[in-house]
Amino acid sequence: LLTAPAQLPVDMLRWPAFYTPPNHPMLTSLGMRDQSFQTRWFGADLHKKLPRQERAWFEAQQKRAPPPRPTPPPLPGVRGSPEDASPDYFDLAAWSLAQRSFNGREIIMIATNTNGLPVTINLVANLRELGYSHVLLLASEQRVCQELISSSPPACGWSSLLREHRSRLNKYAVGPLQLIWLQRWYYLLHLVRGGYNAMMLDADIVLYYDIYPFLKRDFANHTLLCLHDATAGYAHVNGGVWYVQNAAPGGAVEHMLTEFRRRTLRLLDPDVPVIRYDGSYPQKRGMPADRLLDDQWVISNVLLSAVAGFEATIYSSAGIDTNNFKRLPRSVWTVSDRFPRTPPELGRYRSAYLSRYGMREAVLKHNGTSETIAQAP
Protein backbone atom coordinates (compact mmCIF):
# COMPACT_ATOMS: atom_id res chain seq x y z
CA LEU A 1 0.00 0.00 0.00
CA LEU A 2 1.15 3.50 -0.76
CA THR A 3 0.89 6.72 1.20
CA ALA A 4 1.63 10.20 -0.04
CA PRO A 5 2.73 13.34 1.79
CA ALA A 6 -0.04 15.78 2.59
CA GLN A 7 1.37 18.45 0.25
CA LEU A 8 0.65 16.38 -2.87
CA PRO A 9 -2.38 17.30 -5.01
CA VAL A 10 -5.71 15.79 -4.03
CA ASP A 11 -5.71 13.52 -7.08
CA MET A 12 -2.78 11.61 -5.57
CA LEU A 13 -3.45 8.70 -3.24
CA ARG A 14 -3.74 10.02 0.32
CA TRP A 15 -5.21 8.52 3.45
CA PRO A 16 -8.07 10.39 5.15
CA ALA A 17 -7.18 12.02 8.45
CA PHE A 18 -9.07 9.38 10.45
CA TYR A 19 -7.20 6.43 8.90
CA THR A 20 -3.78 5.24 10.05
CA PRO A 21 -1.65 3.91 7.17
CA PRO A 22 -0.15 0.44 7.64
CA ASN A 23 3.29 0.27 9.22
CA HIS A 24 4.45 -2.42 6.82
CA PRO A 25 3.28 -1.71 3.24
CA MET A 26 3.66 -5.26 2.01
CA LEU A 27 1.73 -8.47 1.49
CA THR A 28 1.87 -10.59 4.60
CA SER A 29 2.90 -14.21 4.19
CA LEU A 30 0.43 -17.07 4.30
CA GLY A 31 0.60 -19.86 6.82
CA MET A 32 2.14 -23.15 5.72
CA ARG A 33 -1.21 -24.95 5.44
CA ASP A 34 -2.82 -22.21 3.35
CA GLN A 35 0.24 -21.97 1.14
CA SER A 36 0.28 -25.75 0.66
CA PHE A 37 -3.38 -25.80 -0.35
CA GLN A 38 -2.90 -22.85 -2.70
CA THR A 39 -0.06 -24.48 -4.62
CA ARG A 40 -2.51 -27.21 -5.70
CA TRP A 41 -4.51 -24.80 -7.83
CA PHE A 42 -2.53 -21.54 -8.15
CA GLY A 43 -2.46 -20.43 -11.80
CA ALA A 44 -4.76 -23.28 -12.83
CA ASP A 45 -7.65 -23.18 -15.26
CA LEU A 46 -10.47 -22.91 -12.71
CA HIS A 47 -12.95 -24.37 -15.20
CA LYS A 48 -10.95 -27.59 -15.58
CA LYS A 49 -12.20 -30.69 -13.78
CA LEU A 50 -9.99 -32.09 -11.05
CA PRO A 51 -7.88 -35.11 -12.01
CA ARG A 52 -8.76 -38.32 -10.20
CA GLN A 53 -5.94 -38.11 -7.65
CA GLU A 54 -6.60 -34.45 -6.87
CA ARG A 55 -10.32 -35.11 -6.57
CA ALA A 56 -9.71 -37.92 -4.06
CA TRP A 57 -7.53 -35.59 -1.96
CA PHE A 58 -10.17 -32.85 -2.13
CA GLU A 59 -12.98 -35.20 -1.07
CA ALA A 60 -10.90 -36.40 1.88
CA GLN A 61 -10.25 -32.81 2.99
CA GLN A 62 -13.95 -31.95 2.71
CA LYS A 63 -14.79 -34.72 5.16
CA ARG A 64 -12.63 -32.91 7.73
CA ALA A 65 -13.98 -29.45 6.84
CA PRO A 66 -17.25 -29.76 4.87
CA PRO A 67 -18.24 -26.97 2.47
CA PRO A 68 -21.22 -24.78 3.47
CA ARG A 69 -23.62 -26.76 1.28
CA PRO A 70 -23.55 -30.06 -0.64
CA THR A 71 -22.81 -29.83 -4.36
CA PRO A 72 -25.97 -28.47 -6.05
CA PRO A 73 -27.41 -30.15 -9.16
CA PRO A 74 -25.82 -29.07 -12.46
CA LEU A 75 -27.23 -26.22 -14.51
CA PRO A 76 -28.00 -26.54 -18.24
CA GLY A 77 -25.36 -25.50 -20.75
CA VAL A 78 -25.76 -23.55 -24.00
CA ARG A 79 -27.81 -26.26 -25.70
CA GLY A 80 -29.80 -27.19 -22.60
CA SER A 81 -28.02 -30.40 -21.60
CA PRO A 82 -26.83 -30.56 -17.97
CA GLU A 83 -23.19 -29.74 -17.38
CA ASP A 84 -20.77 -32.06 -15.61
CA ALA A 85 -21.22 -31.55 -11.85
CA SER A 86 -17.91 -33.13 -10.82
CA PRO A 87 -15.61 -30.71 -8.91
CA ASP A 88 -13.30 -28.41 -10.80
CA TYR A 89 -10.37 -26.26 -9.73
CA PHE A 90 -12.73 -23.42 -8.85
CA ASP A 91 -14.46 -25.65 -6.31
CA LEU A 92 -11.09 -26.48 -4.78
CA ALA A 93 -10.00 -22.83 -4.76
CA ALA A 94 -13.29 -21.63 -3.25
CA TRP A 95 -13.25 -24.23 -0.49
CA SER A 96 -9.61 -23.62 0.45
CA LEU A 97 -9.96 -19.82 0.41
CA ALA A 98 -13.16 -19.86 2.49
CA GLN A 99 -11.26 -21.85 5.14
CA ARG A 100 -9.13 -18.73 5.69
CA SER A 101 -12.15 -16.56 6.56
CA PHE A 102 -13.52 -16.01 10.06
CA ASN A 103 -16.55 -18.27 9.51
CA GLY A 104 -15.38 -20.61 6.74
CA ARG A 105 -17.91 -19.21 4.26
CA GLU A 106 -16.53 -15.88 2.99
CA ILE A 107 -14.82 -15.35 -0.39
CA ILE A 108 -13.75 -12.14 -2.11
CA MET A 109 -13.31 -12.20 -5.88
CA ILE A 110 -11.45 -9.61 -7.98
CA ALA A 111 -11.20 -9.73 -11.78
CA THR A 112 -7.92 -8.50 -13.25
CA ASN A 113 -5.63 -8.52 -16.25
CA THR A 114 -1.93 -7.70 -16.65
CA ASN A 115 -2.50 -3.96 -17.05
CA GLY A 116 -4.63 -3.91 -13.91
CA LEU A 117 -2.15 -5.78 -11.70
CA PRO A 118 -0.56 -2.73 -10.01
CA VAL A 119 -3.85 -1.42 -8.64
CA THR A 120 -5.05 -4.99 -7.98
CA ILE A 121 -1.97 -5.74 -5.87
CA ASN A 122 -2.60 -2.54 -3.94
CA LEU A 123 -6.13 -3.74 -3.16
CA VAL A 124 -4.89 -7.21 -2.16
CA ALA A 125 -2.38 -5.60 0.20
CA ASN A 126 -5.14 -3.38 1.57
CA LEU A 127 -7.31 -6.46 2.22
CA ARG A 128 -4.42 -8.36 3.82
CA GLU A 129 -3.90 -5.47 6.26
CA LEU A 130 -7.54 -5.91 7.26
CA GLY A 131 -6.94 -9.62 7.84
CA TYR A 132 -8.53 -10.82 4.60
CA SER A 133 -6.58 -13.55 2.85
CA HIS A 134 -9.70 -15.24 1.44
CA VAL A 135 -9.26 -13.33 -1.82
CA LEU A 136 -9.24 -14.81 -5.32
CA LEU A 137 -7.86 -13.00 -8.35
CA LEU A 138 -9.82 -14.10 -11.42
CA ALA A 139 -7.26 -13.46 -14.15
CA SER A 140 -7.88 -12.89 -17.84
CA GLU A 141 -5.19 -15.46 -18.73
CA GLN A 142 -2.64 -17.73 -17.09
CA ARG A 143 0.17 -15.26 -17.78
CA VAL A 144 -1.35 -12.82 -15.26
CA CYS A 145 -0.89 -15.32 -12.42
CA GLN A 146 2.67 -16.03 -13.58
CA GLU A 147 3.47 -12.34 -13.11
CA LEU A 148 2.88 -12.72 -9.36
CA ILE A 149 6.42 -13.74 -8.44
CA SER A 150 6.56 -14.14 -4.68
CA SER A 151 7.16 -16.73 -1.99
CA SER A 152 3.58 -16.06 -0.89
CA PRO A 153 1.68 -14.72 -3.93
CA PRO A 154 -1.97 -13.67 -3.90
CA ALA A 155 -4.37 -16.47 -4.81
CA CYS A 156 -4.84 -16.41 -8.57
CA GLY A 157 -6.44 -18.50 -11.28
CA TRP A 158 -7.76 -18.03 -14.79
CA SER A 159 -10.69 -19.72 -16.52
CA SER A 160 -11.51 -21.24 -19.89
CA LEU A 161 -15.21 -20.83 -19.04
CA LEU A 162 -17.14 -19.68 -22.16
CA ARG A 163 -13.98 -19.66 -24.29
CA GLU A 164 -15.30 -22.50 -26.44
CA HIS A 165 -17.74 -19.88 -27.75
CA ARG A 166 -14.93 -17.63 -28.95
CA SER A 167 -16.45 -17.11 -32.42
CA ARG A 168 -19.75 -15.98 -30.94
CA LEU A 169 -18.03 -13.82 -28.31
CA ASN A 170 -16.04 -12.09 -31.04
CA LYS A 171 -19.24 -11.25 -32.93
CA TYR A 172 -20.51 -9.45 -29.83
CA ALA A 173 -17.12 -7.71 -29.35
CA VAL A 174 -16.36 -9.50 -26.08
CA GLY A 175 -12.61 -9.15 -25.50
CA PRO A 176 -10.49 -10.68 -22.71
CA LEU A 177 -11.43 -8.01 -20.17
CA GLN A 178 -15.14 -8.14 -20.96
CA LEU A 179 -14.95 -11.94 -20.75
CA ILE A 180 -13.71 -12.01 -17.15
CA TRP A 181 -16.41 -9.48 -16.29
CA LEU A 182 -18.91 -12.04 -17.58
CA GLN A 183 -17.15 -14.98 -15.95
CA ARG A 184 -17.22 -13.40 -12.51
CA TRP A 185 -21.04 -13.42 -12.48
CA TYR A 186 -21.08 -17.12 -13.38
CA TYR A 187 -18.68 -17.80 -10.52
CA LEU A 188 -20.67 -15.57 -8.16
CA LEU A 189 -23.68 -17.76 -8.92
CA HIS A 190 -21.57 -20.88 -8.37
CA LEU A 191 -20.49 -19.60 -4.96
CA VAL A 192 -24.03 -18.67 -3.96
CA ARG A 193 -25.33 -22.11 -4.96
CA GLY A 194 -22.54 -23.62 -2.89
CA GLY A 195 -23.68 -21.76 0.22
CA TYR A 196 -20.78 -19.30 0.35
CA ASN A 197 -21.04 -15.60 1.18
CA ALA A 198 -19.40 -13.94 -1.80
CA MET A 199 -18.04 -10.46 -2.34
CA MET A 200 -17.15 -9.16 -5.79
CA LEU A 201 -14.90 -6.09 -6.00
CA ASP A 202 -13.41 -4.03 -8.81
CA ALA A 203 -9.69 -3.46 -8.43
CA ASP A 204 -10.03 0.32 -7.97
CA ILE A 205 -11.51 -0.10 -4.50
CA VAL A 206 -9.96 0.76 -1.12
CA LEU A 207 -11.41 -0.38 2.21
CA TYR A 208 -10.58 1.69 5.29
CA TYR A 209 -12.21 -0.63 7.81
CA ASP A 210 -13.00 -4.25 8.47
CA ILE A 211 -16.41 -4.26 6.79
CA TYR A 212 -17.68 -7.61 8.05
CA PRO A 213 -18.90 -6.28 11.41
CA PHE A 214 -21.12 -3.82 9.51
CA LEU A 215 -22.32 -6.46 7.03
CA LYS A 216 -23.18 -8.93 9.78
CA ARG A 217 -24.72 -6.36 12.14
CA ASP A 218 -26.20 -3.38 10.25
CA PHE A 219 -27.11 -5.42 7.15
CA ALA A 220 -27.72 -8.81 8.73
CA ASN A 221 -31.24 -8.94 7.25
CA HIS A 222 -30.12 -8.12 3.72
CA THR A 223 -29.19 -10.90 1.31
CA LEU A 224 -27.58 -8.66 -1.29
CA LEU A 225 -25.76 -5.33 -1.18
CA CYS A 226 -24.57 -3.50 -4.28
CA LEU A 227 -23.26 -0.12 -5.37
CA HIS A 228 -25.37 2.66 -6.89
CA ASP A 229 -24.44 4.02 -10.31
CA ALA A 230 -26.73 6.61 -11.88
CA THR A 231 -25.22 5.94 -15.32
CA ALA A 232 -25.75 2.16 -15.29
CA GLY A 233 -29.06 1.12 -16.82
CA TYR A 234 -32.58 1.22 -15.48
CA ALA A 235 -31.65 -0.40 -12.17
CA HIS A 236 -28.64 1.92 -11.63
CA VAL A 237 -26.38 -0.89 -10.45
CA ASN A 238 -22.60 -0.88 -10.67
CA GLY A 239 -20.80 -4.21 -10.97
CA GLY A 240 -17.86 -3.00 -8.90
CA VAL A 241 -19.16 -3.84 -5.41
CA TRP A 242 -21.50 -6.78 -4.75
CA TYR A 243 -21.96 -8.85 -1.63
CA VAL A 244 -24.30 -11.82 -1.24
CA GLN A 245 -24.82 -13.47 2.15
CA ASN A 246 -27.04 -16.27 3.43
CA ALA A 247 -28.88 -16.63 0.13
CA ALA A 248 -31.69 -19.17 0.28
CA PRO A 249 -31.14 -22.31 -1.84
CA GLY A 250 -33.19 -21.82 -5.00
CA GLY A 251 -34.29 -18.44 -3.67
CA ALA A 252 -34.81 -15.05 -5.28
CA VAL A 253 -31.19 -13.86 -5.35
CA GLU A 254 -29.93 -17.19 -6.68
CA HIS A 255 -32.67 -17.09 -9.32
CA MET A 256 -31.66 -13.58 -10.39
CA LEU A 257 -28.05 -14.68 -10.90
CA THR A 258 -29.24 -17.81 -12.72
CA GLU A 259 -31.17 -15.54 -15.07
CA PHE A 260 -27.97 -13.59 -15.81
CA ARG A 261 -26.36 -16.87 -16.80
CA ARG A 262 -29.33 -18.01 -18.88
CA ARG A 263 -29.64 -14.77 -20.81
CA THR A 264 -25.97 -14.55 -21.69
CA LEU A 265 -25.67 -18.25 -22.57
CA ARG A 266 -28.63 -17.90 -24.90
CA LEU A 267 -26.71 -15.35 -26.97
CA LEU A 268 -23.78 -17.75 -27.30
CA ASP A 269 -25.88 -20.51 -28.84
CA PRO A 270 -24.77 -20.76 -32.49
CA ASP A 271 -28.29 -21.85 -33.46
CA VAL A 272 -29.74 -18.55 -32.24
CA PRO A 273 -29.53 -15.67 -34.77
CA VAL A 274 -27.21 -12.82 -33.81
CA ILE A 275 -29.22 -9.89 -32.46
CA ARG A 276 -28.33 -6.59 -34.12
CA TYR A 277 -28.87 -2.93 -33.34
CA ASP A 278 -31.85 -1.29 -35.01
CA GLY A 279 -32.45 2.24 -36.22
CA SER A 280 -32.72 3.60 -32.68
CA TYR A 281 -28.91 3.33 -32.54
CA PRO A 282 -27.96 4.80 -35.93
CA GLN A 283 -24.21 4.77 -35.26
CA LYS A 284 -24.25 0.97 -34.95
CA ARG A 285 -27.32 0.02 -36.95
CA GLY A 286 -27.01 -3.53 -38.29
CA MET A 287 -24.03 -4.37 -36.08
CA PRO A 288 -24.22 -7.10 -33.40
CA ALA A 289 -25.75 -5.64 -30.25
CA ASP A 290 -22.67 -5.86 -28.03
CA ARG A 291 -24.42 -4.29 -25.03
CA LEU A 292 -26.39 -7.53 -24.66
CA LEU A 293 -23.21 -9.10 -23.26
CA ASP A 294 -22.15 -6.06 -21.24
CA ASP A 295 -22.31 -7.35 -17.68
CA GLN A 296 -23.72 -4.18 -16.11
CA TRP A 297 -26.41 -3.86 -18.78
CA VAL A 298 -27.41 -7.49 -18.31
CA ILE A 299 -27.53 -7.40 -14.52
CA SER A 300 -29.57 -4.18 -14.65
CA ASN A 301 -32.21 -5.87 -16.81
CA VAL A 302 -32.13 -9.07 -14.77
CA LEU A 303 -32.65 -7.11 -11.55
CA LEU A 304 -35.46 -5.12 -13.18
CA SER A 305 -37.09 -8.43 -14.15
CA ALA A 306 -36.75 -9.80 -10.62
CA VAL A 307 -38.56 -6.77 -9.18
CA ALA A 308 -41.19 -6.65 -11.97
CA GLY A 309 -41.96 -10.35 -11.67
CA PHE A 310 -41.56 -11.12 -15.36
CA GLU A 311 -38.74 -11.17 -17.93
CA ALA A 312 -38.14 -7.57 -18.95
CA THR A 313 -35.66 -5.86 -21.24
CA ILE A 314 -35.15 -2.15 -21.66
CA TYR A 315 -32.72 0.12 -23.56
CA SER A 316 -31.55 -2.64 -25.91
CA SER A 317 -31.76 -0.59 -29.13
CA ALA A 318 -32.19 -3.98 -30.78
CA GLY A 319 -35.94 -4.41 -31.02
CA ILE A 320 -36.24 -6.72 -28.01
CA ASP A 321 -37.47 -4.27 -25.37
CA THR A 322 -40.53 -5.07 -23.27
CA ASN A 323 -43.57 -3.89 -25.19
CA ASN A 324 -45.75 -2.55 -22.39
CA PHE A 325 -43.64 -0.10 -20.41
CA LYS A 326 -46.60 0.61 -18.13
CA ARG A 327 -46.09 -2.83 -16.61
CA LEU A 328 -42.59 -1.92 -15.45
CA PRO A 329 -42.03 -0.49 -11.98
CA ARG A 330 -41.19 3.21 -11.96
CA SER A 331 -38.03 2.32 -10.07
CA VAL A 332 -36.31 -0.88 -9.04
CA TRP A 333 -35.57 0.65 -5.65
CA THR A 334 -37.72 2.02 -2.86
CA VAL A 335 -36.22 4.61 -0.55
CA SER A 336 -36.72 3.35 2.96
CA ASP A 337 -38.45 5.53 5.53
CA ARG A 338 -35.85 4.30 8.02
CA PHE A 339 -32.74 6.42 8.48
CA PRO A 340 -30.29 4.38 10.56
CA ARG A 341 -27.52 6.13 12.44
CA THR A 342 -24.12 6.16 10.81
CA PRO A 343 -22.06 3.53 12.67
CA PRO A 344 -19.93 5.35 15.27
CA GLU A 345 -16.87 3.34 14.20
CA LEU A 346 -16.86 5.22 10.91
CA GLY A 347 -16.70 8.66 12.44
CA ARG A 348 -18.03 11.63 10.50
CA TYR A 349 -14.97 12.36 8.34
CA ARG A 350 -15.41 15.98 9.35
CA SER A 351 -18.85 16.70 7.87
CA ALA A 352 -18.71 14.37 4.86
CA TYR A 353 -20.75 11.65 6.60
CA LEU A 354 -24.14 12.63 7.92
CA SER A 355 -25.31 11.40 11.32
CA ARG A 356 -27.90 9.21 9.58
CA TYR A 357 -28.08 7.59 6.17
CA GLY A 358 -30.86 6.60 3.80
CA MET A 359 -31.22 3.26 2.05
CA ARG A 360 -32.50 2.08 -1.30
CA GLU A 361 -34.11 -1.34 -0.90
CA ALA A 362 -36.06 -3.90 -2.87
CA VAL A 363 -37.70 -7.20 -2.01
CA LEU A 364 -37.20 -10.08 -4.44
CA LYS A 365 -39.54 -13.06 -4.41
CA HIS A 366 -39.16 -16.49 -6.00
CA ASN A 367 -40.28 -20.03 -5.19
CA GLY A 368 -41.92 -18.92 -1.97
CA THR A 369 -38.80 -17.11 -0.76
CA SER A 370 -38.52 -13.40 -0.06
CA GLU A 371 -35.12 -11.72 0.17
CA THR A 372 -34.32 -8.08 0.85
CA ILE A 373 -31.58 -6.36 -1.10
CA ALA A 374 -30.07 -2.91 -0.63
CA GLN A 375 -28.04 -0.41 -2.58
CA ALA A 376 -25.43 2.00 -1.29
CA PRO A 377 -26.19 5.71 -1.75
Side-chain angles (χ1 to χ4, degrees):
L1 289 172
L2 304 176
T3 57
Q7 65 267 24
L8 288 178
V10 293
D11 59 349
M12 302 295 289
L13 179 60
R14 298 188 300 174
W15 300 111
F18 59 80
Y19 182 81
T20 303
N23 294 322
H24 305 285
M26 57 194 301
L27 289 176
T28 54
S29 297
L30 296 172
M32 290 183 61
R33 179 178 179 272
D34 291 338
Q35 186 63 46
S36 174
F37 283 5
Q38 183 169 299
T39 56
R40 290 180 171 271
W41 55 266
F42 180 86
D45 175 2
L46 300 174
H47 188 53
K48 183 179 178 181
K49 297 300 179 181
L50 293 178
R52 181 181 301 176
Q53 186 175 356
E54 198 70 16
R55 179 176 176 177
W57 178 88
F58 182 35
E59 290 173 348
Q61 294 297 320
Q62 286 183 307
K63 290 180 181 178
R64 299 186 183 97
R69 193 178 296 164
T71 302
L75 293 171
V78 167
R79 296 181 182 273
S81 57
E83 296 184 337
D84 184 357
S86 59
D88 54 25
Y89 277 98
F90 184 82
D91 292 306
L92 174 57
W95 172 84
S96 62
L97 287 172
Q99 296 300 307
R100 304 177 187 178
S101 70
F102 66 94
N103 61 6
R105 296 182 62 189
E106 307 295 327
I107 295 176
I108 300 174
M109 186 166 50
I110 306 166
T112 188
N113 58 9
T114 302
N115 292 337
L117 271 183
V119 68
T120 301
I121 293 301
N122 196 67
L123 174 55
V124 172
N126 168 214
L127 297 175
R128 285 277 185 95
E129 289 290 336
L130 294 172
Y132 305 166
S133 59
H134 52 284
V135 180
L136 173 65
L137 302 187
L138 178 60
S140 58
E141 54 185 330
Q142 187 179 34
R143 181 169 64 92
V144 178
C145 298
Q146 294 171 342
E147 298 269 355
L148 301 171
I149 302 172
S150 168
S151 60
S152 186
C156 180
W158 68 285
S159 178
S160 61
L161 175 68
L162 303 180
R163 292 177 192 260
E164 67 268 30
H165 307 295
R166 173 54 59 193
S167 175
R168 196 73 167 191
L169 290 169
N170 287 340
K171 287 183 179 179
Y172 282 102
V174 176
L177 185 59
Q178 291 78 18
L179 178 57
I180 56 173
W181 288 342
L182 282 176
Q183 288 175 339
R184 62 181 180 172
W185 293 97
Y186 282 59
Y187 283 125
L188 179 62
L189 169 62
H190 192 82
L191 292 171
V192 168
R193 297 183 79 226
Y196 294 99
N197 297 330
M199 184 178 300
M200 201 164 65
L201 297 177
D202 276 354
D204 57 348
I205 298 290
V206 174
L207 300 182
Y208 295 121
Y209 299 93
D210 177 5
I211 58 175
Y212 285 111
F214 305 114
L215 296 173
K216 304 305 180 183
R217 181 191 66 198
D218 302 81
F219 298 100
N221 296 321
H222 292 81
T223 306
L224 167 64
L225 299 169
C226 63
L227 188 65
H228 176 76
D229 186 344
T231 68
Y234 194 83
H236 295 165
V237 286
N238 187 292
V241 179
W242 279 64
Y243 181 63
V244 181
Q245 63 179 349
N246 306 322
V253 169
E254 180 183 315
H255 176 70
M256 181 187 69
L257 296 172
T258 303
E259 278 296 290
F260 180 100
R261 182 182 184 277
R262 184 188 67 82
R263 287 194 184 200
T264 51
L265 276 182
R266 182 174 57 191
L267 295 172
L268 301 181
D269 186 345
D271 295 332
V272 174
V274 173
I275 300 175
R276 300 179 182 275
Y277 286 117
D278 58 24
S280 64
Y281 196 166
Q283 300 93 327
K284 289 191 173 183
R285 182 174 184 174
M287 298 174 63
D290 53 353
R291 71 174 49 163
L292 303 186
L293 285 178
D294 174 85
D295 71 306
Q296 285 196 168
W297 185 89
V298 178
I299 197 62
S300 178
N301 277 277
V302 167
L303 182 53
L304 168 62
S305 302
V307 173
F310 58 89
E311 182 171 347
T313 302
I314 193 170
Y315 304 145
S316 71
S317 298
I320 60 172
D321 284 15
T322 300
N323 289 328
N324 189 352
F325 284 92
K326 293 182 179 179
R327 296 177 61 201
L328 296 176
R330 295 186 61 182
S331 174
V332 167
W333 304 99
T334 300
V335 178
S336 172
D337 57 2
R338 297 181 296 108
F339 291 89
R341 289 188 178 278
T342 300
E345 303 96 316
L346 294 179
R348 295 288 302 280
Y349 192 16
R350 298 177 185 169
S351 59
Y353 295 163
L354 300 178
S355 60
R356 294 180 179 271
Y357 63 94
M359 294 177 61
R360 298 181 183 90
E361 294 179 314
V363 176
L364 307 185
K365 297 181 179 181
H366 181 72
N367 274 352
T369 67
S370 178
E371 294 179 308
T372 302
I373 67 176
Q375 189 178 51

